[in-house]
PDB file of all heavy atoms in Angstrom:
ATOM      1  N   LYS A   1     -24.271  22.869 -12.334  1.00 93.00           N
ATOM      2  CA  LYS A   1     -24.978  23.187 -11.088  1.00 93.00           C
ATOM      3  C   LYS A   1     -24.035  23.789 -10.048  1.00 93.00           C
ATOM      4  O   LYS A   1     -24.454  24.048  -8.916  1.00 93.00           O
ATOM      5  CB  LYS A   1     -25.615  21.922 -10.507  1.00 93.00           C
ATOM      6  CG  LYS A   1     -26.712  21.334 -11.386  1.00 93.00           C
ATOM      7  CD  LYS A   1     -27.337  20.108 -10.731  1.00 93.00           C
ATOM      8  CE  LYS A   1     -28.456  19.558 -11.593  1.00 93.00           C
ATOM      9  NZ  LYS A   1     -29.071  18.344 -10.977  1.00 93.00           N
ATOM     10  N   ASN A   2     -22.771  23.979 -10.417  1.00 93.00           N
ATOM     11  CA  ASN A   2     -21.774  24.519  -9.490  1.00 93.00           C
ATOM     12  C   ASN A   2     -21.742  23.728  -8.181  1.00 93.00           C
ATOM     13  O   ASN A   2     -21.661  24.298  -7.086  1.00 93.00           O
ATOM     14  CB  ASN A   2     -22.067  25.993  -9.185  1.00 93.00           C
ATOM     15  CG  ASN A   2     -21.977  26.857 -10.417  1.00 93.00           C
ATOM     16  OD1 ASN A   2     -21.051  26.708 -11.215  1.00 93.00           O
ATOM     17  ND2 ASN A   2     -22.936  27.748 -10.592  1.00 93.00           N
ATOM     18  N   THR A   3     -21.793  22.423  -8.302  1.00 95.00           N
ATOM     19  CA  THR A   3     -21.874  21.568  -7.119  1.00 95.00           C
ATOM     20  C   THR A   3     -20.909  20.394  -7.230  1.00 95.00           C
ATOM     21  O   THR A   3     -20.736  19.815  -8.306  1.00 95.00           O
ATOM     22  CB  THR A   3     -23.305  21.044  -6.936  1.00 95.00           C
ATOM     23  OG1 THR A   3     -24.209  22.150  -6.839  1.00 95.00           O
ATOM     24  CG2 THR A   3     -23.422  20.210  -5.667  1.00 95.00           C
ATOM     25  N   MET A   4     -20.298  20.085  -6.103  1.00 96.00           N
ATOM     26  CA  MET A   4     -19.422  18.920  -6.001  1.00 96.00           C
ATOM     27  C   MET A   4     -20.050  17.946  -5.014  1.00 96.00           C
ATOM     28  O   MET A   4     -20.757  18.378  -4.091  1.00 96.00           O
ATOM     29  CB  MET A   4     -18.034  19.352  -5.513  1.00 96.00           C
ATOM     30  CG  MET A   4     -17.050  18.218  -5.309  1.00 96.00           C
ATOM     31  SD  MET A   4     -15.415  18.777  -4.770  1.00 96.00           S
ATOM     32  CE  MET A   4     -15.773  19.464  -3.165  1.00 96.00           C
ATOM     33  N   TYR A   5     -19.779  16.664  -5.204  1.00 98.00           N
ATOM     34  CA  TYR A   5     -20.382  15.644  -4.346  1.00 98.00           C
ATOM     35  C   TYR A   5     -19.320  14.704  -3.793  1.00 98.00           C
ATOM     36  O   TYR A   5     -18.240  14.545  -4.373  1.00 98.00           O
ATOM     37  CB  TYR A   5     -21.400  14.819  -5.145  1.00 98.00           C
ATOM     38  CG  TYR A   5     -22.458  15.640  -5.824  1.00 98.00           C
ATOM     39  CD1 TYR A   5     -22.324  16.011  -7.156  1.00 98.00           C
ATOM     40  CD2 TYR A   5     -23.588  16.062  -5.134  1.00 98.00           C
ATOM     41  CE1 TYR A   5     -23.287  16.773  -7.788  1.00 98.00           C
ATOM     42  CE2 TYR A   5     -24.562  16.828  -5.762  1.00 98.00           C
ATOM     43  CZ  TYR A   5     -24.404  17.178  -7.083  1.00 98.00           C
ATOM     44  OH  TYR A   5     -25.360  17.941  -7.709  1.00 98.00           O
ATOM     45  N   LEU A   6     -19.656  14.058  -2.692  1.00 98.00           N
ATOM     46  CA  LEU A   6     -18.837  12.980  -2.155  1.00 98.00           C
ATOM     47  C   LEU A   6     -19.783  11.863  -1.732  1.00 98.00           C
ATOM     48  O   LEU A   6     -20.506  11.993  -0.733  1.00 98.00           O
ATOM     49  CB  LEU A   6     -17.989  13.438  -0.973  1.00 98.00           C
ATOM     50  CG  LEU A   6     -17.017  12.381  -0.444  1.00 98.00           C
ATOM     51  CD1 LEU A   6     -15.908  12.114  -1.485  1.00 98.00           C
ATOM     52  CD2 LEU A   6     -16.392  12.830   0.878  1.00 98.00           C
ATOM     53  N   GLN A   7     -19.814  10.798  -2.519  1.00 98.00           N
ATOM     54  CA  GLN A   7     -20.614   9.637  -2.173  1.00 98.00           C
ATOM     55  C   GLN A   7     -19.777   8.748  -1.273  1.00 98.00           C
ATOM     56  O   GLN A   7     -18.696   8.304  -1.679  1.00 98.00           O
ATOM     57  CB  GLN A   7     -21.030   8.872  -3.431  1.00 98.00           C
ATOM     58  CG  GLN A   7     -21.828   7.608  -3.157  1.00 98.00           C
ATOM     59  CD  GLN A   7     -23.188   7.896  -2.537  1.00 98.00           C
ATOM     60  OE1 GLN A   7     -23.887   8.809  -2.957  1.00 98.00           O
ATOM     61  NE2 GLN A   7     -23.560   7.111  -1.541  1.00 98.00           N
ATOM     62  N   MET A   8     -20.279   8.493  -0.074  1.00 98.00           N
ATOM     63  CA  MET A   8     -19.532   7.718   0.917  1.00 98.00           C
ATOM     64  C   MET A   8     -20.286   6.436   1.218  1.00 98.00           C
ATOM     65  O   MET A   8     -21.419   6.477   1.722  1.00 98.00           O
ATOM     66  CB  MET A   8     -19.342   8.543   2.196  1.00 98.00           C
ATOM     67  CG  MET A   8     -18.695   9.891   1.958  1.00 98.00           C
ATOM     68  SD  MET A   8     -18.322  10.775   3.479  1.00 98.00           S
ATOM     69  CE  MET A   8     -19.968  11.057   4.112  1.00 98.00           C
ATOM     70  N   ASN A   9     -19.692   5.318   0.871  1.00 98.00           N
ATOM     71  CA  ASN A   9     -20.290   4.003   1.112  1.00 98.00           C
ATOM     72  C   ASN A   9     -19.441   3.220   2.105  1.00 98.00           C
ATOM     73  O   ASN A   9     -18.278   3.555   2.345  1.00 98.00           O
ATOM     74  CB  ASN A   9     -20.391   3.231  -0.195  1.00 98.00           C
ATOM     75  CG  ASN A   9     -21.283   3.908  -1.213  1.00 98.00           C
ATOM     76  OD1 ASN A   9     -22.242   4.600  -0.865  1.00 98.00           O
ATOM     77  ND2 ASN A   9     -20.978   3.725  -2.488  1.00 98.00           N
ATOM     78  N   SER A  10     -20.021   2.165   2.654  1.00 98.00           N
ATOM     79  CA  SER A  10     -19.311   1.300   3.606  1.00 98.00           C
ATOM     80  C   SER A  10     -18.636   2.118   4.691  1.00 98.00           C
ATOM     81  O   SER A  10     -17.455   1.915   4.997  1.00 98.00           O
ATOM     82  CB  SER A  10     -18.276   0.452   2.857  1.00 98.00           C
ATOM     83  OG  SER A  10     -18.901  -0.329   1.858  1.00 98.00           O
ATOM     84  N   LEU A  11     -19.374   3.026   5.265  1.00 98.00           N
ATOM     85  CA  LEU A  11     -18.795   3.929   6.256  1.00 98.00           C
ATOM     86  C   LEU A  11     -18.355   3.181   7.513  1.00 98.00           C
ATOM     87  O   LEU A  11     -18.971   2.186   7.920  1.00 98.00           O
ATOM     88  CB  LEU A  11     -19.798   5.011   6.624  1.00 98.00           C
ATOM     89  CG  LEU A  11     -19.915   6.129   5.578  1.00 98.00           C
ATOM     90  CD1 LEU A  11     -21.205   6.907   5.738  1.00 98.00           C
ATOM     91  CD2 LEU A  11     -18.712   7.058   5.651  1.00 98.00           C
ATOM     92  N   LYS A  12     -17.270   3.677   8.096  1.00 98.00           N
ATOM     93  CA  LYS A  12     -16.688   3.088   9.295  1.00 98.00           C
ATOM     94  C   LYS A  12     -16.668   4.139  10.409  1.00 98.00           C
ATOM     95  O   LYS A  12     -16.647   5.345  10.131  1.00 98.00           O
ATOM     96  CB  LYS A  12     -15.252   2.650   9.010  1.00 98.00           C
ATOM     97  CG  LYS A  12     -15.090   1.716   7.832  1.00 98.00           C
ATOM     98  CD  LYS A  12     -13.614   1.457   7.556  1.00 98.00           C
ATOM     99  CE  LYS A  12     -13.415   0.550   6.372  1.00 98.00           C
ATOM    100  NZ  LYS A  12     -11.971   0.323   6.088  1.00 98.00           N
ATOM    101  N   PRO A  13     -16.622   3.713  11.651  1.00 98.00           N
ATOM    102  CA  PRO A  13     -16.524   4.689  12.751  1.00 98.00           C
ATOM    103  C   PRO A  13     -15.325   5.630  12.588  1.00 98.00           C
ATOM    104  O   PRO A  13     -15.408   6.798  12.975  1.00 98.00           O
ATOM    105  CB  PRO A  13     -16.380   3.795  13.986  1.00 98.00           C
ATOM    106  CG  PRO A  13     -17.131   2.555  13.625  1.00 98.00           C
ATOM    107  CD  PRO A  13     -16.853   2.351  12.165  1.00 98.00           C
ATOM    108  N   ASP A  14     -14.242   5.142  11.988  1.00 97.00           N
ATOM    109  CA  ASP A  14     -13.058   5.985  11.764  1.00 97.00           C
ATOM    110  C   ASP A  14     -13.318   7.102  10.766  1.00 97.00           C
ATOM    111  O   ASP A  14     -12.503   8.021  10.646  1.00 97.00           O
ATOM    112  CB  ASP A  14     -11.878   5.145  11.264  1.00 97.00           C
ATOM    113  CG  ASP A  14     -11.232   4.342  12.383  1.00 97.00           C
ATOM    114  OD1 ASP A  14     -11.565   4.603  13.565  1.00 97.00           O
ATOM    115  OD2 ASP A  14     -10.412   3.455  12.086  1.00 97.00           O
ATOM    116  N   ASP A  15     -14.413   7.038  10.040  1.00 98.00           N
ATOM    117  CA  ASP A  15     -14.761   8.110   9.104  1.00 98.00           C
ATOM    118  C   ASP A  15     -15.442   9.283   9.809  1.00 98.00           C
ATOM    119  O   ASP A  15     -15.713  10.318   9.179  1.00 98.00           O
ATOM    120  CB  ASP A  15     -15.691   7.588   8.007  1.00 98.00           C
ATOM    121  CG  ASP A  15     -15.020   6.557   7.119  1.00 98.00           C
ATOM    122  OD1 ASP A  15     -13.847   6.757   6.758  1.00 98.00           O
ATOM    123  OD2 ASP A  15     -15.683   5.553   6.783  1.00 98.00           O
ATOM    124  N   THR A  16     -15.735   9.128  11.080  1.00 98.00           N
ATOM    125  CA  THR A  16     -16.370  10.199  11.841  1.00 98.00           C
ATOM    126  C   THR A  16     -15.460  11.425  11.882  1.00 98.00           C
ATOM    127  O   THR A  16     -14.308  11.347  12.287  1.00 98.00           O
ATOM    128  CB  THR A  16     -16.669   9.733  13.277  1.00 98.00           C
ATOM    129  OG1 THR A  16     -17.643   8.694  13.233  1.00 98.00           O
ATOM    130  CG2 THR A  16     -17.193  10.882  14.123  1.00 98.00           C
ATOM    131  N   ALA A  17     -15.994  12.545  11.397  1.00 98.00           N
ATOM    132  CA  ALA A  17     -15.206  13.783  11.321  1.00 98.00           C
ATOM    133  C   ALA A  17     -16.096  14.901  10.791  1.00 98.00           C
ATOM    134  O   ALA A  17     -17.220  14.653  10.352  1.00 98.00           O
ATOM    135  CB  ALA A  17     -14.014  13.596  10.388  1.00 98.00           C
ATOM    136  N   ARG A  18     -15.551  16.084  10.821  1.00 98.00           N
ATOM    137  CA  ARG A  18     -16.192  17.199  10.143  1.00 98.00           C
ATOM    138  C   ARG A  18     -15.575  17.265   8.744  1.00 98.00           C
ATOM    139  O   ARG A  18     -14.339  17.291   8.608  1.00 98.00           O
ATOM    140  CB  ARG A  18     -15.970  18.506  10.891  1.00 98.00           C
ATOM    141  CG  ARG A  18     -16.838  19.641  10.366  1.00 98.00           C
ATOM    142  CD  ARG A  18     -16.952  20.772  11.365  1.00 98.00           C
ATOM    143  NE  ARG A  18     -17.917  21.763  10.938  1.00 98.00           N
ATOM    144  CZ  ARG A  18     -19.228  21.662  11.167  1.00 98.00           C
ATOM    145  NH1 ARG A  18     -19.707  20.634  11.851  1.00 98.00           N
ATOM    146  NH2 ARG A  18     -20.052  22.618  10.753  1.00 98.00           N
ATOM    147  N   TYR A  19     -16.424  17.275   7.728  1.00 98.00           N
ATOM    148  CA  TYR A  19     -15.973  17.244   6.352  1.00 98.00           C
ATOM    149  C   TYR A  19     -16.068  18.638   5.744  1.00 98.00           C
ATOM    150  O   TYR A  19     -17.109  19.288   5.815  1.00 98.00           O
ATOM    151  CB  TYR A  19     -16.807  16.255   5.543  1.00 98.00           C
ATOM    152  CG  TYR A  19     -16.427  14.816   5.830  1.00 98.00           C
ATOM    153  CD1 TYR A  19     -16.727  14.225   7.050  1.00 98.00           C
ATOM    154  CD2 TYR A  19     -15.760  14.055   4.880  1.00 98.00           C
ATOM    155  CE1 TYR A  19     -16.354  12.918   7.329  1.00 98.00           C
ATOM    156  CE2 TYR A  19     -15.392  12.737   5.142  1.00 98.00           C
ATOM    157  CZ  TYR A  19     -15.694  12.187   6.369  1.00 98.00           C
ATOM    158  OH  TYR A  19     -15.324  10.886   6.635  1.00 98.00           O
ATOM    159  N   PHE A  20     -14.969  19.043   5.125  1.00 98.00           N
ATOM    160  CA  PHE A  20     -14.872  20.376   4.547  1.00 98.00           C
ATOM    161  C   PHE A  20     -14.724  20.306   3.033  1.00 98.00           C
ATOM    162  O   PHE A  20     -13.942  19.497   2.512  1.00 98.00           O
ATOM    163  CB  PHE A  20     -13.662  21.110   5.117  1.00 98.00           C
ATOM    164  CG  PHE A  20     -13.743  21.366   6.593  1.00 98.00           C
ATOM    165  CD1 PHE A  20     -13.292  20.425   7.496  1.00 98.00           C
ATOM    166  CD2 PHE A  20     -14.274  22.554   7.075  1.00 98.00           C
ATOM    167  CE1 PHE A  20     -13.370  20.659   8.865  1.00 98.00           C
ATOM    168  CE2 PHE A  20     -14.354  22.804   8.433  1.00 98.00           C
ATOM    169  CZ  PHE A  20     -13.905  21.849   9.334  1.00 98.00           C
ATOM    170  N   CYS A  21     -15.417  21.201   2.376  1.00 97.00           N
ATOM    171  CA  CYS A  21     -15.296  21.378   0.932  1.00 97.00           C
ATOM    172  C   CYS A  21     -14.271  22.481   0.670  1.00 97.00           C
ATOM    173  O   CYS A  21     -14.228  23.486   1.400  1.00 97.00           O
ATOM    174  CB  CYS A  21     -16.661  21.780   0.377  1.00 97.00           C
ATOM    175  SG  CYS A  21     -16.650  22.468  -1.273  1.00 97.00           S
ATOM    176  N   ALA A  22     -13.462  22.297  -0.355  1.00 96.00           N
ATOM    177  CA  ALA A  22     -12.463  23.306  -0.701  1.00 96.00           C
ATOM    178  C   ALA A  22     -12.408  23.488  -2.204  1.00 96.00           C
ATOM    179  O   ALA A  22     -12.624  22.541  -2.964  1.00 96.00           O
ATOM    180  CB  ALA A  22     -11.096  22.890  -0.175  1.00 96.00           C
ATOM    181  N   GLY A  23     -12.110  24.705  -2.620  1.00 95.00           N
ATOM    182  CA  GLY A  23     -11.969  25.002  -4.045  1.00 95.00           C
ATOM    183  C   GLY A  23     -10.875  26.024  -4.257  1.00 95.00           C
ATOM    184  O   GLY A  23     -10.425  26.680  -3.313  1.00 95.00           O
ATOM    185  N   ASP A  24     -10.449  26.167  -5.476  1.00 93.00           N
ATOM    186  CA  ASP A  24      -9.385  27.121  -5.776  1.00 93.00           C
ATOM    187  C   ASP A  24      -9.595  27.750  -7.134  1.00 93.00           C
ATOM    188  O   ASP A  24     -10.101  27.097  -8.048  1.00 93.00           O
ATOM    189  CB  ASP A  24      -8.027  26.429  -5.719  1.00 93.00           C
ATOM    190  CG  ASP A  24      -6.903  27.432  -5.689  1.00 93.00           C
ATOM    191  OD1 ASP A  24      -6.661  28.007  -4.597  1.00 93.00           O
ATOM    192  OD2 ASP A  24      -6.267  27.651  -6.723  1.00 93.00           O
ATOM    193  N   GLY A  25      -9.199  29.007  -7.259  1.00 87.00           N
ATOM    194  CA  GLY A  25      -9.418  29.752  -8.487  1.00 87.00           C
ATOM    195  C   GLY A  25      -8.221  29.829  -9.407  1.00 87.00           C
ATOM    196  O   GLY A  25      -8.298  30.446 -10.467  1.00 87.00           O
ATOM    197  N   ARG A  26      -7.115  29.192  -9.047  1.00 89.00           N
ATOM    198  CA  ARG A  26      -5.929  29.262  -9.895  1.00 89.00           C
ATOM    199  C   ARG A  26      -6.015  28.215 -11.000  1.00 89.00           C
ATOM    200  O   ARG A  26      -6.295  27.049 -10.743  1.00 89.00           O
ATOM    201  CB  ARG A  26      -4.671  29.060  -9.051  1.00 89.00           C
ATOM    202  CG  ARG A  26      -4.361  30.261  -8.177  1.00 89.00           C
ATOM    203  CD  ARG A  26      -3.316  29.951  -7.156  1.00 89.00           C
ATOM    204  NE  ARG A  26      -3.835  29.072  -6.122  1.00 89.00           N
ATOM    205  CZ  ARG A  26      -3.134  28.686  -5.072  1.00 89.00           C
ATOM    206  NH1 ARG A  26      -1.879  29.093  -4.917  1.00 89.00           N
ATOM    207  NH2 ARG A  26      -3.670  27.893  -4.171  1.00 89.00           N
ATOM    208  N   ASN A  27      -5.746  28.632 -12.221  1.00 88.00           N
ATOM    209  CA  ASN A  27      -5.878  27.774 -13.387  1.00 88.00           C
ATOM    210  C   ASN A  27      -4.563  27.073 -13.687  1.00 88.00           C
ATOM    211  O   ASN A  27      -3.671  27.637 -14.314  1.00 88.00           O
ATOM    212  CB  ASN A  27      -6.347  28.603 -14.584  1.00 88.00           C
ATOM    213  CG  ASN A  27      -6.582  27.746 -15.810  1.00 88.00           C
ATOM    214  OD1 ASN A  27      -6.424  26.528 -15.771  1.00 88.00           O
ATOM    215  ND2 ASN A  27      -6.967  28.383 -16.896  1.00 88.00           N
ATOM    216  N   PHE A  28      -4.468  25.818 -13.256  1.00 88.00           N
ATOM    217  CA  PHE A  28      -3.318  24.980 -13.601  1.00 88.00           C
ATOM    218  C   PHE A  28      -3.701  23.959 -14.661  1.00 88.00           C
ATOM    219  O   PHE A  28      -3.000  22.985 -14.889  1.00 88.00           O
ATOM    220  CB  PHE A  28      -2.796  24.257 -12.352  1.00 88.00           C
ATOM    221  CG  PHE A  28      -2.277  25.184 -11.290  1.00 88.00           C
ATOM    222  CD1 PHE A  28      -2.805  25.179 -10.012  1.00 88.00           C
ATOM    223  CD2 PHE A  28      -1.258  26.085 -11.572  1.00 88.00           C
ATOM    224  CE1 PHE A  28      -2.340  26.037  -9.039  1.00 88.00           C
ATOM    225  CE2 PHE A  28      -0.779  26.952 -10.609  1.00 88.00           C
ATOM    226  CZ  PHE A  28      -1.323  26.918  -9.331  1.00 88.00           C
TER     227      PHE A  28
END
């Protein structure tokens, strides 16, 4: 599905932020 996920449980106020997805095309 060309999709990545982040399941976030037990969230805390310190988790407040803007969350960014990142990817890379280099084959290591």
Side-chain angles (χ1 to χ4, degrees):
K1 295 182 178 179
N2 297 316
T3 303
M4 177 179 65
Y5 305 96
L6 185 68
Q7 178 66 43
M8 305 186 295
N9 298 330
S10 302
L11 282 161
K12 305 174 181 179
D14 284 349
D15 295 318
T16 294
R18 191 161 188 85
Y19 284 70
F20 296 88
C21 164
D24 194 78
R26 287 168 289 183
N27 183 1
F28 297 122

